[in-house]
Amino acid sequence: MAGCDLSGVKLKPLLTDLLAGRTAALARAISLVENGRPGFEELLAALHPRLGQAHRIGITGPPGAGKSTLAMQLTKAYRARGEQVGVVAVDPTSPFTGGALLGDRIRMEDVALDEGVFIRSMATRGSLGGLATSTREVCDVLDAAGFDRILVETVGVGQSELAVSGMADSTVLVLVPESGDGIQALKSGVMEIADVFVVNKADRPGGDKLAREIDVTLGFRQGSAFRGIRAHHGLDLAVAGRAPVRQTESADPWKHPVLLTTASKADGVERLVAELDRHHAWMTGSGELSARRRRRLAARTREVVDRAMHRWVWHSTQAEAMVNERLAEVASGRISPYELAGEIVAAVKEGVRV
Ligand SMILES: Nc1nc2c(ncn2[C@@H]2O[C@H](COP(=O)(O)OP(=O)(O)O)[C@@H](O)[C@H]2O)c(=O)[nH]1
Ligand SMILES: [Mg+2]
């Protein structure tokens, strides 16, 4: 790597230390990437050949569903197997500080001092689009640094879990019985991004009912409400009807599990760990893992192009100056922002104002 010394960041030693598993280097590499400081794209480019070892697990669902609690329980379970775990939380609604991942109760003290665990909140950085990209990039750093599992928590039944599906190999959708979110999720199409469904807070009433509703909805999605009923020719519709929408044609479709958990008591976590292992094995065997990773690489390339174009337009052309120059005309109603934008784009394209 020529020109490795950028703005005081010595990329080569950083890379060496990172790959040697030095925690301080990991923290530095992550903040370099997170803040988009000079050299971060070179670092990520150098890490690229090292990617693909980690199992990336997205955990999404409405606020308060228990995603962080589940993430901590999964972390403990993976640590018990001797695996290294990275946790990246993207939660603009409840940023965590000082190493406490949760608003209350289960605190990070359990795992925060463990060398095999690295936790980062992406809570306050960037816009949503930019945030999604930098979250993926932070995951790359963890992957290259040798973490076995990377848990990515994102909040919401909205756009953000659509972003998480693009960053994970396996996506867990966490719902809770008492809120209306479950039903909303079933209607919103969010189900299509999930590989594993978790109905958390099973210690409260309504968990079984929600799990059944999810199961029935999964059946409908596949054009069959009769999953679990054996057809007379011996085909098990429970198996046949469960291929997820985005899954490529497969003779051995993934059967979406719907699990009940009480994360606060670690109930059901073992089963979740097992289903995630099963999903990873299925993805590897079916070719879905490499298909998803290829899609992610294409998406990443587009994102980086977007970012470069954005940077170029606003920092290296006259676009910003044109906005300022003509703002009075827009404000007085003489021209619309659309017309001005059109003029700016035309000018930039022609290079006349560059
Ligand atoms: N009763 C009950 N409470 C839970 C369970 N799991 C998590 N909680 C609590 O629900 C609240 C929100 O949990 P948290 O993990 O922060 O949710 P997140 O917003 O989805 O990350 C916390 O007070 C947790 O202690 C559960 O299985 N049962
Ligand atoms: Mg949380």
Side-chain angles (χ1 to χ4, degrees), residues 104-308:
D104 59 278
R105 248 144 289 169
I106 299 192
R107 293 279 167 177
M108 284 312 305
E109 276 104 60
D110 287 0
V111 287
L113 298 174
D114 181 342
E115 285 259 305
V117 177
F118 190 92
I119 296 163
R120 193 66 153 208
S121 169
M122 305 285 296
T124 54
R125 288 162 226 269
S127 63
L128 205 58
L131 187 60
T133 306
S134 42
T135 302
R136 291 182 183 92
E137 290 171 333
V138 165
C139 292
D140 284 356
V141 175
L142 291 166
D143 187 347
F147 284 80
D148 303 288
R149 309 276 164 175
I150 301 170
L151 310 179
V152 186
E153 178 190 335
T154 55
V155 75
V157 169
Q159 328 84 328
S160 59
E161 71 276 86
L162 299 175
V164 83
S165 75
M167 46 185 106
D169 300 320
S170 307
T171 299
V172 179
L173 177 61
V174 184
L175 299 169
V176 277
E178 72 261 30
S179 71
D181 292 318
I183 308 304
Q184 199 191 320
L186 303 188
K187 287 182 183 158
S188 71
V190 122
M191 287 184 73
E192 273 143 47
I193 61 134
D195 302 300
V196 175
F197 293 86
V198 166
V199 175
N200 189 41
K201 306 200 184 181
D203 52 329
R204 297 191 179 162
D208 287 326
K209 184 166 172 282
L210 177 57
R212 268 198 310 279
E213 281 165 357
I214 295 169
D215 228 31
V216 168
T217 309
L218 280 170
F220 273 124
R221 296 256 150 167
Q222 297 311 316
S224 165
F226 305 106
R227 285 173 43 222
I229 299 173
R230 207 162 271 280
H232 54 261
H233 45 83
L235 177 71
D236 188 352
L237 291 178
V239 174
R242 286 179 126 184
V245 172
R246 64 179 170 169
Q247 185 180 311
T248 36
E249 274 303 308
S250 164
D252 170 32
W254 171 245
K255 295 183 274 297
H256 293 70
V258 182
L259 311 178
L260 287 164
T261 62
T262 303
S264 47
K265 295 183 193 143
D267 281 354
V269 172
E270 231 172 274
R271 174 91 197 282
L272 177 57
V273 166
E275 291 296 344
L276 286 168
D277 284 343
R278 203 168 65 80
H279 186 247
H280 192 255
W282 173 83
M283 286 212 305
T284 309
S286 66
E288 180 67 15
L289 188 62
S290 47
R292 281 187 193 188
R293 288 180 174 176
R294 284 173 69 90
R295 286 199 291 269
R296 287 212 302 257
L297 291 173
R300 174 70 61 82
T301 308
R302 288 183 207 109
E303 286 166 1
V304 177
V305 170
D306 283 351
R307 190 160 63 194

Side-chain angles (χ1 to χ4, degrees), residues 83-111:
E83 296 177 350
Q84 284 188 283
V85 187
V87 183
V88 182
V90 189
D91 187 351
T93 64
S94 66
F96 63 85
T97 50
L101 183 63
L102 304 178
D104 59 278
R105 248 144 289 169
I106 299 192
R107 293 279 167 177
M108 284 312 305
E109 276 104 60
D110 287 0
V111 287

